[in-house]
């Protein structure tokens, strides 16, 4: 059974870079897209961007200037970096798997990581 | 960006009664490949979203058959035929026809 385990720093200062990693257990990176989402507590979901196993990416234009998503197939991991964070980036971040042949079918999710930006 | 609008935002339902959530997109979700990439998610408090339905009406394995999806173009519906206590949560529609992927605001289903 495929599982996603995500981890990273939960407390950042303004202007620092957020860094999160998602490890895929029990499955392969190929044949899927791998996405990051975020959700302010009590609010709706925002898609941040995606990557495939070859490193091809798509980003949300609203965050594109600050976001980098990368993949390390040798470790079955993909990562999110968000630069120059502010209080507005305080939210829960999720990683998720998407079935390539069924876009929008985000069938497996990480447990979520709460990231707080505060001076 | 495609704007997704859900109604209602809150749906108090009696156990055993049906519930229906509408999702409307600001433009057609028919992709150039002919598919319509509209998904539905359920989110319980403190949990990540759970995929229920993809490509309008395809129910994920393990999702009870009381959940069904329908619609076309810009108008879509999620129906729960008989609400059970475990169905309490927030439901989101999401489009994956265009980048960026966008979600509806969410509909809170609660028991009366």
């Amino acid at each position: 059974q495929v599982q996603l385990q995500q981890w990273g720093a939960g407390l950042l200062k303004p202007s620092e870079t957020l860094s999160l990693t998602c490890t895929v257990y029990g499955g392969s990176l190929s044949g899927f897209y791998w996405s990051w989402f975020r959700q302010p507590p009590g609010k709706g979901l925002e898609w941040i961007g995606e990557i495939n196993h070859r490193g091809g990416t798509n980003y949300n234009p609203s965050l594109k200037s600050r976001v980098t998503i990368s993949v390390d197939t040798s470790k079955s991991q993909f990562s999110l970096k968000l630069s120059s964070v502010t209080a507005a980036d305080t939210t829960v971040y999720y990683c998720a798997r998407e079935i390539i042949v069924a876009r929008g079918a985000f069938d497996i999710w990480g447990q979520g990581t709460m990231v707080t930006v505060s001076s | 960006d495609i704007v997704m609008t859900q109604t209602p935002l809150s749906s108090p339902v009696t156990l055993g009664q049906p519930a229906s959530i509408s999702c409307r997109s600001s433009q057609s979700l028919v992709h150039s490949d002919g598919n319509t990439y509209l998904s539905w998610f359920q989110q319980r408090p403190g949990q990540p979203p759970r995929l229920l339905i993809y490509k309008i009406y395809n129910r994920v394995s393990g999702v009870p058959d009381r959940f069904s999806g329908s619609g076309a173009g810009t108008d879509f519906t999620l129906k729960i035929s008989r609400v059970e206590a475990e169905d309490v949560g927030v439901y989101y529609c999401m489009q994956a026809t265009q980048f960026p992927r966008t979600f509806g605001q969410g509909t809170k289903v609660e028991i009366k």
Side-chain angles (χ1 to χ4, degrees):
Chain A
Q1 183 179 353
V2 177
Q3 295 184 24
L4 302 184
Q5 184 73 30
Q6 55 183 104
W7 48 277
L11 181 61
L12 297 171
K13 290 182 167 53
S15 80
E16 291 185 334
T17 295
L18 177 157
S19 183
L20 297 175
T21 297
C22 190
T23 302
V24 181
Y25 292 101
S28 172
L29 287 176
S30 63
F32 301 93
Y33 280 99
W34 305 91
S35 277
W36 289 95
F37 296 84
R38 66 182 188 175
Q39 183 177 36
K43 297 195 176 180
L45 290 150
E46 179 180 30
W47 177 79
I48 298 171
E50 68 176 17
I51 193 165
N52 62 26
H53 72 282
R54 293 190 181 91
T57 56
N58 288 293
Y59 297 130
N60 192 324
S62 67
L63 297 167
K64 188 174 183 177
S65 63
R66 299 193 291 132
V67 170
T68 302
I69 297 176
S70 59
V71 66
D72 185 338
T73 54
S74 68
K75 295 181 180 178
S76 289
Q77 292 177 342
F78 60 105
S79 298
L80 168 71
K81 290 190 186 302
L82 180 67
S83 63
S84 304
V85 297
T86 70
D89 297 311
T90 294
T91 182
V92 178
Y93 289 79
Y94 294 103
C95 58
R97 183 183 85 166
E98 183 186 22
I99 302 170
I100 283 184
V101 296
R103 291 297 230 156
F106 293 98
D107 64 336
I108 307 224
W109 292 69
Q111 76 278 19
T113 301
M114 179 68 208
V115 175
T116 301
V117 180
S118 174
S119 56
Chain B
D1 298 4
I2 296 178
V3 177
M4 306 296 288
T5 303
Q6 288 181 230
T7 55
L9 298 184
S10 178
S11 180
V13 185
T14 302
L15 285 173
Q17 293 301 302
S20 181
I21 301 170
S22 173
C23 177
R24 179 166 290 179
S25 57
S26 60
Q27 55 189 276
S28 174
L29 297 187
V30 179
H31 194 274
S32 57
D33 66 8
N35 289 302
T36 301
Y37 296 111
L38 185 284
S39 302
W40 289 96
F41 297 86
Q42 174 196 63
Q43 189 174 32
R44 297 176 175 135
Q47 297 291 318
R50 172 196 179 196
L51 177 66
L52 298 175
I53 287 170
Y54 62 95
K55 289 202 295 183
I56 303 178
Y57 55 78
N58 293 274
R59 196 167 48 245
V60 174
S61 175
V63 172
D65 62 6
R66 62 179 181 274
F67 290 92
S68 64
S70 63
T74 61
D75 288 289
F76 306 91
T77 302
L78 175 71
K79 291 183 179 177
I80 309 174
S81 58
R82 297 172 305 280
V83 171
E84 298 189 5
E86 66 179 17
D87 300 335
V88 166
V90 180
Y91 291 78
Y92 295 94
C93 61
M94 188 211 76
Q95 67 81 21
T97 295
Q98 280 190 19
F99 291 106
R101 307 334 195 180
T102 48
F103 290 84
Q105 319 95 300
T107 295
K108 188 173 185 178
V109 172
E110 52 193 358
I111 305 301
K112 278 183 184 175

